[in-house]
Each structure stands twice: as C-alpha cells, then as structure tokens.
Amino acid sequence: MDIVVHESSDELAAWVADLQAALPQARVRAWAPGAAAADYAVVWAPPQQLLDEQTRLRAIFNTGAGVDRLLQRRLPPGVPVLRLRDAGMAVQMAEYVLQAVIRHHRGLDALTAQQAQGQWVQPPVRERADCVVGILGHGVLGQRVAQALQALDYPVRAWTRSPHPQAAVPLMVGREALGDFVSGCAVLVNLLPLTPDTEGLLDHALLSRLPRGAMLVNVARGAHLVDEDLLALLDSGHIARAWLDVFRQEPLPAAHRFWRHPSVHLTPHTSARTLRGPSVAQIAQAIAAIERGEPVSTVDPTRGY
Ligand code: NDP
Ligand code: OXD
C-alpha cells in the first residue's frame, strides 16, 4: 500500500515518519510532482496537481476538520474524502470558547483595566441565566463546546441544518429560525463549516439581531464573517466584544482594523490545533477499516461538509 503526504514544509517529515510508524506495512512518502500513483493521500490544502496526478487513490484524508479548502479543488471523481473528527481538537475548542465566555460574563477585561487605574469597583452581579450562549453548529466541535459550557451552568442553545431529536441542548433548525435564534443570545459562537450556504452568514442583518452588548466568537472560518459589518457594530457598541481566530486572509494583513480594535481579541488560527499523534492514529485506523472493506465516515461533497 502506498501513501503520499502533503503538509506544510516544517511538519512534512514528521507526518511521514509518524504515518510510517503507524502503518509499517505501507510505503509512506512525501508527495512531489510526478510522484508514482498511491492508494491514499494524506493532505492539507493540496495543490491541484496532486489531485490531478494521483489517479489510483482509494481515499483522501484531510488533516483538519474543515474541508472547505480541499473541496475548492477539482477532486478525482468517486474518491471518498475523510476529515479529522475531533482528534484532540474538540477539547481545545471548548477551552478557547469557555475562557472567552467566562471573561465576558464575569467582566474580567474591565476588571483588568480597573487594576491599571488603581480602581476598586465591584460591578453589579450578572445573572448566569442572562448569559445565553448560542452555538452555530452542533457537530463534533459544537457538541463538545456545548458540553463544557453546560458543565458551568451556562444556558446553551444550538443551531443546525437538520433536526437532532436526541441533542442535549435546545436546538433551532434551518435558516428561517436563525434570526430568532440569534436574538436571544448574549454570546454567539460560530462553529459551522464553510459552505456555499454559510459563507457571509455573519453579516450586519444577522449580527444586529444580537442584543446590545453581546459578544461574537468566530472560531470556524473567516469567510463566514463580513468584516466591515462586524466593525460597524463594534464601533457603535452594539457588539461589545469579538474573539476572532480565523480570517478571510491568513495571516491577517497588517493594515486590517481588527489588529488594533479595542474590542477585538485576535488569535492566529490557534483555537484548536491539529495534533499529529491522535490524527495519525485516526487516519491509520480508517485506512485499516477501508482495507478490511468496512464502512467509514466520509464527507458529503454535495453538502460541503
Ligand atoms: P461538523 O461537520 O461535525 O459539524 C458541523 C455542524 O454545522 C453540524 O451541526 C451541521 O448541521 C451544521 N451546519 C452545517 N451547515 C449548516 C447550515 N447551512 N445551516 C445550519 N447548520 C449547518 O464540523 P466540526 O464540528 O468538526 O467543525 C466545524 C468547523 O470548525 C470546521 O468546518 C472548521 O471550519 C472549524 N474549525 C476551526 C478550527 C480552528 O482552529 N479555528 C479547528 C477545527 C475546525 P447538521 O448537524 O444538521 O449536519
Ligand atoms: C481545521 C482547522 O479545520 O485547523 O482543522 O481550521
């Protein structure tokens, strides 16, 4: 069995070595133009040339949770795409969102600013029941985030494309319900995949449905958000704060207003990192299942996630 790997150059050798160790019967190598046909490709943001040249693939593994960049390519017809499902990312995402929600609810940024001024002022108590956290997406990551928030008694609700009768949080489904969903949220967390249906969803019309003083946490993809619309709502104070981990252009250009906006916390796409160890283990298990002829969970290219 042959496996080709395409990863960022600083991690490529480690991915090849770890996959080789996990699949000793396979021949694992870094992809290069003109590489011999392989059975599996393990990739992040692969060049079109890889997908055009690799004509014998039995599956393509995306070494991230979001497949938007891969699906922008022309894929070999009929070849299943698998993505990382959690693989250590869910707990990181929960940690990131939880700290943002706690800081917002407890007013910790304002208290830190007070310390710098030498001020001792106890703000009014904020009821937890008023801090409703709405999560767009209740998939692998959204569910883990919801669970972490619920463990601290935050009221949580989620928005999805399809009904989930067994969900542990109240769900609202479909575009018609979105405005009402958002209007009851003190915090809006975006954990949607980027698809034609979700691109630009976080625009002025939607974000202005949030109550005054709300917070936005965008940890999914930059193209979900209309940057200028958020900036206008931050400038007017309608939205009090935004935590932004993902951007339309990454790295975020130096001149972008997000860098210096006093109401923006910005992180460089680090809310949930791909962890090579658990990812390699998940990919190796899936390859073994495919080789045994067992079903595996694949991306639905028509849905886009
Ligand atoms: P999943 O596919 O498991 O979950 C996606 C969720 O979004 C599902 O609940 C799905 O609804 C919902 N959804 C999709 N399309 C729509 C729509 N049109 N309307 C309403 N709901 C919709 O994805 P993950 O939880 O694994 O990952 C989510 C995203 O997080 C990734 O796609 C990626 O963009 C981002 N991410 C960001 C990282 C970072 O470091 N910043 C790291 C990892 C991921 P339904 O349940 O009905 O199908
Ligand atoms: C992912 C990401 O999709 O890192 O996994 O953004």
Side-chain angles (χ1 to χ4, degrees):
M1 174 205 318
D2 287 289
I3 301 175
V4 285
V5 184
H6 181 274
E7 285 293 327
S8 67
S9 51
D10 50 333
E11 287 229 50
L12 179 59
W15 273 96
V16 170
D18 289 0
L19 281 162
Q20 186 64 76
L23 294 160
Q25 74 284 18
R27 278 178 305 277
V28 185
R29 52 207 152 75
W31 177 80
D39 303 287
Y40 298 100
V42 175
V43 297
W44 180 251
Q48 186 61 51
Q49 190 178 359
L50 183 157
L51 300 163
D52 289 344
E53 285 182 2
Q54 289 295 322
T55 51
R56 208 186 74 194
L57 292 176
R58 303 186 58 198
I60 301 170
F61 290 86
N62 182 67
T63 60
V67 288
D68 44 293
R69 289 184 71 176
L70 182 59
L71 296 190
Q72 279 162 11
R73 300 274 188 262
R74 192 173 53 252
L75 296 181
V79 178
V81 170
L82 288 82
R83 68 178 187 105
L84 293 181
R85 298 176 61 82
D86 185 356
M89 281 187 276
V91 70
Q92 297 176 66
M93 199 55 102
E95 223 167 40
Y96 185 98
V97 173
L98 202 56
Q99 64 81 33
V101 170
I102 292 169
R103 276 170 81 148
H104 182 66
H105 173 57
R106 299 295 297 269
L108 295 182
D109 291 318
L111 297 183
T112 304
Q114 272 183 205
Q115 180 186 350
Q117 303 298 321
Q119 290 176 344
W120 180 283
V121 182
Q122 292 183 326
V125 172
R126 298 167 91 176
E127 295 293 338
R128 190 171 299 263
D130 295 336
C131 190
V132 175
V133 184
I135 306 175
L136 301 174
H138 196 57
V140 175
L141 303 183
Q143 287 179 34
R144 184 68 184 82
V145 170
Q147 185 194 25
L149 290 161
Q150 283 185 315
L152 286 184
D153 294 346
Y154 284 101
V156 180
R157 56 168 68 169
W159 182 71
T160 58
R161 206 175 66 105
S162 56
H164 296 257
Q166 309 300 327
V169 301
L171 282 193
M172 291 174 83
V173 179
R175 195 57 89 109
E176 325 67 56
L178 185 56
D180 287 344
F181 176 84
V182 165
S183 65
C185 296
V187 177
L188 185 66
V189 178
N190 178 30
L191 271 168
L192 293 169
L194 181 63
T195 68
D197 282 344
T198 64
E199 182 168 358
L201 188 82
L202 302 175
D203 63 3
H204 196 279
L206 186 72
L207 295 176
S208 58
R209 298 287 301 263
L210 285 164
R212 193 171 178 81
M215 174 171 76
L216 173 70
V217 182
N218 187 19
V219 278
R221 286 291 182 264
H224 286 129
L225 176 65
V226 180
D227 295 4
E228 290 308 317
D229 290 358
L230 173 63
L231 283 163
L233 289 161
L234 288 167
D235 288 343
S236 73
H238 186 84
I239 294 187
R241 189 158 294 282
W243 278 84
L244 303 176
D245 184 52
V246 287
F247 303 92
R248 284 179 179 264
Q249 190 182 336
E250 296 181 1
L252 183 67
H256 200 293
R257 279 189 64 209
F258 284 155
W259 278 110
R260 280 164 294 279
H261 200 289
S263 306
V264 171
H265 287 287
L266 176 163
T267 50
H269 203 138
T270 47
S271 53
R273 315 293 299 275
T274 292
L275 304 178
R276 207 172 49 251
S279 305
V280 164
Q282 193 174 97
I283 292 166
Q285 261 180 24
I287 289 178
I290 295 171
E291 291 288 313
R292 289 192 300 269
E294 293 169 7
V296 287
S297 167
T298 60
V299 168
D300 177 348
T302 54
R303 244 176 23 168
Y305 68 101

